[in-house]
């Protein structure tokens, strides 16, 4: 037993795994920038940490958690077990990842604090998120008056591109509710088909503009704004935003790829797309495996 911060901690020599630590960037990478030093857990570390959280027992051993858990889900003696389940049908849903490492350096993600991804914006919009639903510029905490969503990937299958744009539109609608006076723009390549497909819905959006263009470069402005050079059909154009949100390309999670590979299927995110409304299952070359469709 040892004392830490006024608490006596019982040592358990049979703790099955070590506590996971956050990933940190190298010392050299921290110099002359404001990059985040602690990058959090990657998926592998998060899973390891989650799996040990109920078995570490690094506590006083009072068993209050056990006493308070009415479903009796806490069993200190429980060991890991592999359960085999027989089923007539396997339905796979599309767990999605949005890999930031694919984003080109020209977008300045990580080097310009006022450049964030669509997932980071989603967290910012969340009332339970780190900013409690308050939309602010990470650089100085100011409320942005001009917000631009721009496509950060070169190209994608039509369904994948549509999914990225739908996320942008949904976030733009939430932004409009929080910032009624803000200038909100969605900028991407191949917008025409998307606008035609959702014309009736997009007409209802209040003061959210769409522009078909590709990003040439992103630069920091003198007052922390983000200067974006765009390639349009009419030539290059420069626009300025207080906050730039990068649209990322959704892709299947490693877990879904591992699962489908285990059952003899090679699928990607586009395999899950289906036309029409409502829920649907998509057939595969395996009679007993279906995909939960995305609309």
């Amino acid at each position: 037993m040892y004392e830490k911060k006024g608490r006596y901690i019982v040592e358990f020599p049979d703790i099955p795994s070590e506590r996971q630590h956050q990933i940190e960037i190298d010392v050299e990478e921290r110099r002359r920038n404001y990059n985040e030093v602690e990058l959090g857990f990657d998926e592998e570390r998060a899973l390891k940490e989650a799996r040990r959280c109920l078995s570490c027992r690094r506590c006083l051993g009072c068993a209050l958690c056990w006493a308070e858990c009415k479903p009796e889900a806490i069993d200190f003696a429980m060991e890991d077990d592999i359960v085999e389940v027989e089923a007539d049908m396997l339905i796979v849903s599309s767990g999605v990842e949005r890999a930031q490492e694919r984003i080109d350096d020209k977008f300045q993600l990580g080097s310009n604090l006022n450049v964030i991804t669509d997932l980071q914006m989603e967290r910012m919009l969340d009332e339970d998120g780190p900013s409690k639903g308050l939309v602010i510029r990470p650089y100085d905490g100011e409320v942005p008056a001009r917000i631009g969503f721009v496509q950060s990937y070169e190209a994608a299958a039509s369904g994948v591109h549509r999914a990225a744009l739908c996320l942008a539109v949904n976030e733009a609608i939430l932004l409009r509710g929080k910032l009624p006076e803000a200038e909100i723009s969605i900028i991407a390549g191949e917008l025409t088909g998307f606008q035609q497909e959702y014309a009736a819905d997009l007409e209802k959006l209040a003061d959210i503009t769409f522009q078909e263009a590709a990003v040439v470069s992103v630069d920091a402005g003198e007052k922390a704004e983000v200067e974006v050079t765009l390639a349009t059909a009419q030539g290059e154009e420069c626009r300025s935003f207080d906050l730039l949100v990068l649209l990322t390309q959704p892709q299947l999670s490693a877990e879904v790829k591992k699962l489908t590979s285990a059952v003899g299927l090679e699928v990607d995110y586009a395999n899950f797309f289906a036309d029409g409304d409502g829920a649907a299952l998509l057939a595969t070359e395996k009679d007993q495996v279906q995909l939960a469709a995305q609309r």
Side-chain angles (χ1 to χ4, degrees):
M1 179 181 295
Y2 66 96
E3 188 273 340
K4 182 179 181 181
K5 294 183 179 179
R7 294 171 64 90
Y8 290 96
I9 309 298
V10 178
E11 290 279 20
F12 292 98
D14 61 336
I15 290 175
S17 58
E18 296 293 329
R19 181 181 298 278
Q20 296 297 305
H21 297 282
Q22 295 192 56
I23 299 171
E24 296 185 356
I25 63 175
D26 295 334
V27 174
E28 285 301 317
E29 294 182 58
R30 305 176 190 180
R31 302 178 63 183
R32 299 194 178 98
N33 60 60
Y34 298 100
N35 290 346
E36 193 77 32
V37 172
E38 295 180 337
L39 304 181
F41 291 159
D42 57 14
E43 183 174 355
E44 181 182 359
R45 295 189 188 203
L47 288 173
K48 286 182 178 178
E49 185 65 10
R51 284 170 180 154
R52 68 181 290 280
C53 67
L54 290 178
S55 60
C56 67
R57 297 180 296 179
R58 190 169 290 278
C59 62
L60 289 171
C62 65
L64 275 177
C65 56
W66 170 78
E68 292 296 324
C69 184
K70 295 180 180 178
E72 299 184 353
I74 297 175
D75 182 355
F76 294 117
M78 180 181 289
E79 298 181 356
D80 290 343
D81 192 13
I82 297 176
V83 179
E84 293 187 3
V85 178
E86 290 188 9
D88 297 325
M89 178 69 67
L90 176 65
I91 299 174
V92 182
S93 61
S94 59
V96 175
E97 293 178 347
R98 295 174 183 267
Q100 293 189 11
E101 58 269 21
R102 286 188 171 190
I103 298 175
D104 193 282
D105 289 342
K106 71 179 181 182
F107 291 98
Q108 294 198 346
L109 179 66
S111 59
N112 188 325
L113 292 180
N114 290 334
V115 178
I116 64 175
T117 68
D118 44 11
L119 281 186
Q120 290 171 315
M121 171 56 77
E122 186 177 80
R123 291 283 294 148
M124 195 179 289
L125 290 166
D126 189 346
E127 299 295 334
D128 295 323
S131 63
K132 304 295 182 185
L134 184 64
V135 179
I136 54 175
R137 296 200 311 181
Y139 177 77
D140 53 11
E142 293 291 327
V143 176
R146 298 164 299 173
I147 303 167
F149 291 81
V150 299
Q151 178 180 332
S152 69
Y153 49 88
E154 289 290 332
S158 60
V160 176
H161 185 50
R162 180 176 58 194
L165 291 174
C166 284
L167 177 59
V169 170
N170 288 333
E171 291 186 351
I173 292 171
L174 293 174
L175 267 174
R176 174 58 68 223
K178 292 177 178 291
L179 305 175
E181 303 299 327
E183 173 188 312
I184 303 174
S185 303
I186 297 177
I187 301 167
E190 301 179 12
L191 264 176
T192 305
F194 178 78
Q195 289 179 292
Q196 291 174 344
E197 183 177 0
Y198 296 99
D201 296 319
L202 297 180
E203 285 180 358
K204 302 174 185 176
L205 303 182
D207 299 327
I208 297 173
T209 62
F210 292 83
Q211 182 178 13
E212 194 164 85
V215 174
V216 176
S217 63
V218 175
D219 298 290
E222 294 181 357
K223 298 181 180 179
E225 69 273 29
V226 184
E227 304 287 353
V228 182
T229 302
L230 301 171
T232 71
Q234 292 75 38
E236 289 196 354
E237 173 186 344
C238 293
R239 297 190 60 179
S240 182
F241 299 100
D242 297 318
L243 185 63
L244 190 68
V245 184
L246 305 182
L247 304 184
T248 55
Q249 180 178 344
Q251 59 183 345
L252 282 186
S253 69
E255 290 298 324
V256 173
K257 290 180 179 178
K258 182 178 178 182
L259 170 64
T260 53
S261 177
V263 297
L265 288 176
E266 293 295 333
V267 299
D268 57 32
Y269 188 55
N271 289 109
F272 287 84
F273 292 122
D275 297 325
D277 298 323
L281 296 177
L282 302 176
T284 69
E285 59 264 37
K286 301 286 184 181
D287 293 338
Q288 290 79 28
V289 182
Q290 295 186 339
L291 307 180
Q294 298 281 317
R295 299 295 190 183

